[in-house]
C-alpha cells in the first residue's frame, strides 16, 4: 500500500487533511486487486486536546467485479496526555458495481465503518 497525506491549517480552530492511497495486490494463484482511493477531512479543534472532523472520500477497485465507492465519515480524536491519544471514526460506504448485471449503475450498498478506541502515540 502506498499513501500520500497533507494537512493544512485554515485558521486557529480549523484544518484540512487530504489523503490519497493505492493498494495493488498480485497474489499468486488468486485474482488480482487494484485499488485507488482518497479520504479528505475538515477538522475543528474544540479544545487543544479535542478535535472533531467530518470526512468524505471515494475510490475505484479494479477487480472482478470492478466497483466504485464513496465514503462519508465522522471522527473524534482526544489527546489524553502528551503521549497517548484516543480516536474513533465511523460512517457509511456506498458501493456501485458498473456492468455487474444490476442495471446501468448497480445498486448501492451501505456498510458501517468503525474503529474501536485505541491508544496511539501523540506526535
Amino acid at each position: 500500500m502506498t499513501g500520500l497525506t497533507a494537512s493544512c491549517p485554515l485558521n486557529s480552530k480549523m484544518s484540512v487533511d487530504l489523503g490519497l492511497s493505492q493498494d495493488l495486490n498480485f497474489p499468486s494463484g488468486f485474482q488480482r486487486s487494484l485499488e485507488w482511493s482518497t479520504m479528505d477531512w475538515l477538522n475543528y479543534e474544540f479544545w487543544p486536546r479535542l478535535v472533531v472532523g467530518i470526512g468524505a472520500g471515494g475510490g475505484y477497485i479494479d477487480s472482478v467485479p470492478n466497483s466504485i465507492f464513496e465514503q462519508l465519515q465522522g471522527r473524534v480524536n482526544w489527546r489524553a496526555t502528551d503521549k497517548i491519544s484516543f480516536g474513533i471514526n465511523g460512517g457509511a460506504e456506498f458501493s456501485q458495481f458498473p456492468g455487474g448485471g444490476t442495471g446501468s449503475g448497480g445498486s448501492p450498498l451501505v456498510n458501517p465503518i468503525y474503529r474501536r478506541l485505541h491508544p496511539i502515540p501523540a506526535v
Side-chain angles (χ1 to χ4, degrees):
M1 179 174 224
T2 305
L4 177 66
T5 60
S7 296
C8 178
L10 300 176
N11 57 39
S12 64
K13 293 283 189 182
M14 296 183 76
S15 65
V16 174
D17 296 334
L18 306 172
L20 293 171
S21 66
Q22 113 177 326
D23 192 5
L24 309 177
N25 293 299
F26 300 96
S28 179
F30 295 97
Q31 177 67 39
R32 71 177 174 90
S33 173
L34 312 174
E35 179 178 340
W36 298 273
S37 63
T38 182
M39 190 68 198
D40 305 316
W41 294 91
L42 178 62
N43 305 301
Y44 185 80
E45 182 181 291
F46 281 95
W47 297 287
R49 294 185 180 265
L50 180 67
V51 178
V52 175
I54 185 167
Y60 176 76
I61 300 174
D62 182 358
S63 187
V64 177
N66 294 341
S67 65
I68 300 166
F69 63 91
E70 300 82 31
Q71 292 182 353
L72 295 173
Q73 294 189 46
R75 70 180 178 187
V76 177
N77 291 306
W78 172 55
R79 200 171 84 215
T81 69
D82 288 339
K83 294 187 177 187
I84 297 176
S85 296
F86 296 92
I88 188 168
N89 67 300
E93 181 175 290
F94 305 90
S95 299
Q96 300 84 42
F97 301 92
T102 60
S104 60
S107 53
L109 301 172
V110 179
N111 301 313
I113 302 165
Y114 63 92
R115 186 175 300 154
R116 297 183 323 171
L117 287 174
H118 60 286
I120 54 174
V123 191

